[in-house]
Amino acid sequence: MDQVAEPELPDSRLTTSTLPQGIDSASPFDEMMSRFDVAAQRLGLDPGLYKVLREPVRETKVSIPIVMDDGHIEVFVGYRVLHNIARGPGKGGIRFDKNVTLDEVRALAAWMTWKCAVVNIPFGGAKGGVICDPASLSRGELERITRRYTAEIMDLIGPEKDVPAPDMGTNPQTMAWIMDTYSMHARHTVTSVVTGKPLTLGGSRGRIEATGRGLMLICREAAPVKGLTLAGSRIVVQGFGNVGSIAARMCHEAGAHVIAVSDINGGIFNSKGLDATALVAHYEKHRTFEGFQGVERVGNADLLELDCDILIPAANENQIRGRNAPNIKAKIIVEGANGPTTQRADEILNQKGVLVVPDILANAGGVTVSYFEWVQDRAGFFWREQEVNERLEDIMCQSFRDVSTMAEKYGVSHRIAAYMLGISRVAHDTMVRGLYA
Ligand code: GLU
């Protein structure tokens, strides 16, 4: 493996679909399975259960024909993968991105299964994706894609079946369109069919910030493992979407020094720390770092290798790889993205003594507050933001402790421990339910 040269990464959003096979990032599903296999082996998982848990329940591909604004017809492709429903309805976001592949959606769906089990919420795992470039589509085109995609998967989703949510390229407006389309066909309003909705349409307070807040909490809990405190730690964040930008702001507000951040076009750096609160406000207004004073530019590849205490990759899959892992200087990596670190990179980082807090624990704040939103919609009773945040904090801290205990008990990395915890919970519940035949 080591002899195979890895291609240069032109930007932080390069995904596996453009990479040659046979190196550490050939397939997100293979990356997921390589960890699943190690965890299953350590657990002594029954071979029959292994077969049940690795196999997605259902994979759906739909065609989405749309009349574009200029009058011509375009056909988009969408997927929804339901990975597992042993512990409850499928749960997971919908991604709009030009690099979406079925393999990626399948991996993301499986990660949702383990993620929901790690934080012990009563959901299985699912994920959706539409191959499109949201930045180049008008609002009307996005709405038509969303509504047609929803209509195509209408029979498969529902509050008790499979509950979508936002992911890369989708947002509360997208969720409002999904909710409306589903509700129009049901002939009554069904808010709990989707989470991450606008506040006035059954959304939960704190949902937008939830993934970033969860990451900040995990940074705070993980810091002492390396003799650090979050306040005063030097933090680097890759990716400035909803996850990265809010994680940066929350870490800054907790007293950390956010020394560098990046978006798809590259990064900015200030060794004394950026005012991340002001930076998020600037970015919301201008959609670029251009014009933000007192910073140097840094490339996306160099950003990952900066001297810092905590690195938060919050962009895309396969960013930390065999090629750059040896150069990582962070003491702790807290994964905001799903699948940002390859198996090969994990091995290198473990050897170097870097603490990697895996995606299925670190970024679980989003789906945790999605669970709260689903509960509130079904109860028709909405919580104060403080209540949402306190419950989120309880779950994130408890889950970090559960994973750390597992890691210590079995002498494994936090990644393998998180998989072991998630898999053991799903395996247990599958056994208790039994197989219907
Ligand atoms: N897309 C987010 C994730 O990957 C959130 C999923 C959800 O809220 O259901 O965890």
Side-chain angles (χ1 to χ4, degrees):
M1 284 281 243
D2 271 324
Q3 289 96 310
V4 183
E6 291 186 15
E8 288 300 312
L9 294 175
D11 69 51
S12 71
R13 289 165 58 91
L14 189 76
T15 65
T16 53
S17 56
T18 54
L19 293 168
Q21 302 287 304
I23 57 171
D24 62 356
S25 58
S27 139
F29 191 75
D30 287 350
E31 288 286 343
M32 187 285 297
M33 278 308 298
S34 62
R35 279 63 172 258
F36 178 89
D37 284 347
V38 177
Q41 203 182 10
R42 289 307 300 260
L43 284 168
L45 188 70
D46 172 82
L49 266 178
Y50 172 90
K51 282 191 264 182
V52 175
L53 298 193
R54 66 155 288 162
E55 205 60 42
V57 168
R58 182 178 61 219
E59 300 185 350
T60 307
K61 173 175 182 252
V62 295
S63 155
I64 308 167
I66 295 298
V67 179
M68 303 298 278
D69 287 351
D70 66 3
H72 87 277
I73 293 172
E74 205 59 74
V75 180
F76 296 87
V77 170
Y79 302 105
R80 185 76 187 168
V81 173
L82 184 67
H83 178 261
N84 191 286
I85 50 169
R87 289 167 48 86
K91 187 82 194 83
I94 294 171
R95 176 169 292 199
F96 283 6
D97 189 78
K98 55 182 186 298
N99 294 313
V100 162
T101 63
L102 177 57
D103 181 273
E104 180 194 40
V105 178
R106 188 184 290 137
L108 289 161
W111 279 321
M112 289 310 302
T113 301
W114 316 134
K115 191 185 300 187
C116 291
V118 165
V119 289
N120 214 357
I121 58 177
F123 286 127
K127 203 81 174 196
V130 176
I131 307 171
C132 67
D133 177 15
S136 69
L137 295 164
S138 72
R139 184 184 160 92
E141 289 165 343
L142 281 169
E143 177 171 354
R144 293 195 288 284
I145 290 173
T146 304
R147 288 188 184 278
R148 183 61 187 254
Y149 171 70
T150 307
E152 294 295 337
I153 61 167
M154 183 92 65
D155 297 336
L156 310 177
I157 60 173
E160 305 285 351
K161 292 182 182 176
D162 178 3
V163 185
D167 197 76
M168 269 169 54
T170 57
N171 56 36
Q173 177 62 73
T174 325
M175 300 305 116
W177 290 328
I178 294 175
M179 191 275 274
D180 183 70
T181 308
Y182 185 90
S183 298
M184 285 297 111
H185 286 261
R187 303 221 166 268
H188 61 103
T189 296
V190 187
T191 52
S192 54
V193 65
V194 68
T195 59
K197 298 177 295 296
L199 212 49
T200 53
L201 289 172
S204 174
R205 292 191 170 78
R207 174 62 185 86
I208 295 235
E209 298 83 9
T211 313
R213 179 179 294 279
L215 287 165
M216 178 276 287
L217 293 167
I218 291 293
C219 289
R220 191 189 74 192
E221 296 303 295
V225 177
K226 291 287 169 190
L228 301 165
T229 54
L230 176 56
S233 284
R234 293 163 309 146
I235 301 204
V236 169
V237 183
Q238 183 204 34
F240 216 65
N242 181 50
V243 175
S245 65
I246 292 175
R249 176 165 67 76
M250 296 225 165
C251 287
H252 169 72
E253 288 167 4
H257 303 301
V258 179
I259 60 168
V261 300
S262 70
D263 70 0
I264 185 170
N265 297 313
I268 54 172
F269 167 75
N270 181 329
S271 60
K272 295 197 177 65
L274 304 155
D275 179 347
T277 309
L279 180 61
V280 171
H282 174 96
Y283 197 86
E284 268 167 14
K285 199 157 155 210
H286 305 289
R287 305 313 302 168
T288 170
F289 300 130
E290 286 310 322
F292 194 74
Q293 298 301 309
V295 295
E296 290 166 44
R297 299 294 306 191
V298 57
N300 255 316
D302 293 338
L303 177 117
L304 294 172
E305 300 175 14
L306 284 172
D307 186 12
C308 66
D309 298 311
I310 304 177
L311 173 63
I312 304 179
N316 210 342
E317 293 106 40
N318 300 335
Q319 298 301 302
I320 304 172
R321 305 147 57 85
R323 184 172 57 86
N324 59 358
N327 308 329
I328 299 277
K329 294 175 196 69
K331 300 176 184 72
I332 303 173
I333 296 177
V334 175
E335 294 184 336
N338 292 310
T341 310
T342 66
Q343 162 70 20
R344 256 178 88 202
D346 260 354
E347 286 163 15
I348 296 164
L349 294 167
N350 285 341
Q351 270 164 19
K352 280 163 60 97
V354 179
L355 169 62
V356 181
V357 187
D359 44 11
I360 56 173
L361 166 62
N363 72 30
V367 75
T368 299
V369 177
S370 275
Y371 165 53
F372 298 160
E373 180 172 329
W374 181 78
V375 167
Q376 292 171 78
D377 287 341
R378 284 153 56 102
F381 177 75
F382 290 85
W383 310 346
R384 287 173 295 112
E385 184 166 352
Q386 195 189 345
E387 189 167 355
V388 172
N389 292 344
E390 280 171 11
R391 287 180 193 262
L392 172 63
E393 182 164 352
D394 283 352
I395 289 183
M396 295 307 293
C397 295
Q398 182 60 47
S399 305
F400 183 79
R401 283 195 296 274
D402 290 348
V403 169
S404 301
T405 305
M406 196 78 155
E408 251 166 61
K409 184 170 164 201
Y410 287 87
V412 294
S413 67
H414 277 61
R415 166 114 44 219
I416 295 304
Y419 272 76
M420 288 173 73
L421 182 62
I423 292 168
S424 63
R425 286 181 174 153
V426 181
H428 173 269
D429 292 341
T430 305
M431 285 289 287
V432 175
R433 284 178 70 151
L435 296 184
Y436 179 66

